[in-house]
Amino acid sequence: MTIKNQQDQDLLDEYDFSKGIRGKYAQRYREGSNIVKLDNDVAEMFPDQKSINDALRALANIISINT
């Protein structure tokens, strides 16, 4: 029995998720990820992950010196 997918045009009719388990790995993903969304103006100042980490380490060092 084929059910026509009416929600997502990118999914082919051959894809069968009828035995899938929603959220099966959600808890594991939450435990192992630390994603932070930067505002666009902030993201423009930092071209990559290294520059963000370096800036945060410098700020953390300044904070720890002043406390």
Side-chain angles (χ1 to χ4, degrees):
M1 177 174 162
T2 302
I3 299 173
K4 194 80 168 150
N5 187 332
Q6 298 175 2
Q7 292 181 345
D8 191 336
Q9 298 298 323
D10 293 332
L11 292 177
L12 300 178
D13 292 335
E14 295 86 26
Y15 296 162
D16 180 11
F17 296 108
S18 63
K19 295 180 183 167
I21 300 170
R22 182 179 296 274
K24 182 176 181 179
Y25 298 103
Q27 183 63 33
R28 185 186 323 174
Y29 178 76
R30 277 192 292 275
E31 291 171 358
S33 64
N34 187 10
I35 298 173
V36 176
K37 169 72 170 93
L38 300 176
D39 290 341
N40 291 336
D41 61 325
V42 175
E44 289 176 8
M45 295 181 218
F46 300 98
D48 55 29
Q49 177 179 334
K50 182 181 181 324
S51 64
I52 294 169
N53 285 324
D54 289 347
L56 289 174
R57 285 187 185 100
L59 179 60
N61 187 36
I62 292 168
I63 292 169
S64 67
I65 291 172
N66 292 324
T67 56

